[in-house]
Amino acid sequence: MFCDKKCQFFRLTWHVIKFEITAPSYQIFPGVQPLNKQIDLYFDFSSPYSYLAVARIHSLVSSNDIKVQLIPVVLGAIFNRLGWQSSPFLAQPRKLAYMWQDVKRQANKYSIEFQQPTQFPIGSILSARIATAFSDAPWLHLFCLNVFKTYFVFNKDISIQETIQGILVQMGLDPQEILSLASSQETKDRLKQITEQADRLQIFGAPTLIVRDQLFWGDDRLEDAISFCLSAEKAD
């Protein structure tokens, strides 16, 4: 249990997201198969552009009957496979400075709260395991947003269990049950498999959106991914 001082920063008003299933707006004619209207969004909780994409995507697809699957990956493991020790931004100070400037600009553009964190990148394996273990939970999107905000708005350390447990408590969820399943070997193996799958898909950064067999990298390709998802276009 947390004392009042430890949880003071969690006393915020979290927005409740309603999930509704509506009938498809397109007609199915004999011999014509409906499009697979799904976007797989691969993300990392320490990625600022992932924050922007996760914050924006549901409102953009809400009127188009597109299913969004949020898929966490361990981006550091993918970087290691590519021969990078950490985020490539860290090796280029000018590019890193530009990234923070750009993220702040984009956040202002979309009216998304953002403050540059003092520590970057940051470990987020526990949050990724929770998102993996509860990939179909109706509260997944809200949980992801709360983790992102805790890091990219309130500058809190999301690498420690106490922070994540506080988020779960504020959401009215059972942290003991959730953390138990998230820490299981089955969940750990599953997250590893998903990260390996992302590597096989040629993913090299986050966020990455997969629509059918097409890859879209970056929050600035979100609208393009949605347009492609709604089109009948097929990749060559």
Side-chain angles (χ1 to χ4, degrees), residues 84-231:
W84 304 331
Q85 296 302 311
S86 185
S87 169
F89 284 107
L90 297 182
Q92 303 179 61
R94 292 182 182 180
K95 191 172 184 179
L96 179 63
Y98 171 79
M99 180 195 75
W100 291 125
Q101 183 183 69
D102 184 55
V103 171
K104 184 175 181 179
R105 249 194 329 255
Q106 294 299 102
N108 288 337
K109 175 182 177 180
Y110 299 118
S111 299
I112 296 173
E113 293 179 283
F114 173 77
Q115 291 293 329
Q116 180 180 332
T118 54
Q119 181 181 352
F120 177 82
I122 196 168
S124 57
I125 191 70
L126 180 55
S127 297
R129 287 173 179 167
I130 291 174
T132 298
F134 295 89
S135 59
D136 295 325
W139 46 262
L140 176 62
H141 184 227
L142 181 58
F143 169 75
C144 292
L145 280 180
N146 288 343
V147 174
F148 276 123
K149 288 181 179 180
T150 299
Y151 179 44
F152 287 115
V153 178
F154 304 110
N155 195 26
K156 302 299 180 181
D157 188 351
I158 60 171
S159 70
I160 59 176
Q161 180 171 314
E162 182 182 58
T163 301
I164 304 307
Q165 186 169 347
I167 292 173
L168 296 171
V169 169
Q170 273 294 311
M171 291 178 63
L173 301 171
D174 182 350
Q176 184 174 356
E177 176 186 355
I178 290 173
L179 292 175
S180 176
L181 183 56
S183 301
S184 69
Q185 191 60 48
E186 179 182 358
T187 298
K188 294 177 182 179
D189 292 343
R190 177 61 180 149
L191 179 57
K192 182 180 179 180
Q193 292 167 2
I194 290 172
T195 301
E196 291 172 349
Q197 170 186 293
D199 185 58
R200 289 193 298 271
L201 290 170
Q202 304 300 303
I203 288 175
F204 55 88
T208 293
L209 304 106
I210 301 292
V211 183
R212 300 194 284 278
D213 59 352
Q214 291 286 285
L215 183 152
F216 297 82
W217 174 53
D219 170 69
D220 59 347
R221 292 296 181 266
L222 181 52
E223 285 82 359
D224 290 344
I226 293 172
S227 295
F228 183 82
C229 185
L230 293 172
S231 75

Side-chain angles (χ1 to χ4, degrees), residues 17-23 62 65-66:
I17 297 177
K18 292 180 66 178
F19 295 83
E20 298 180 353
I21 300 176
T22 57
S62 60
D65 300 313
I66 295 176

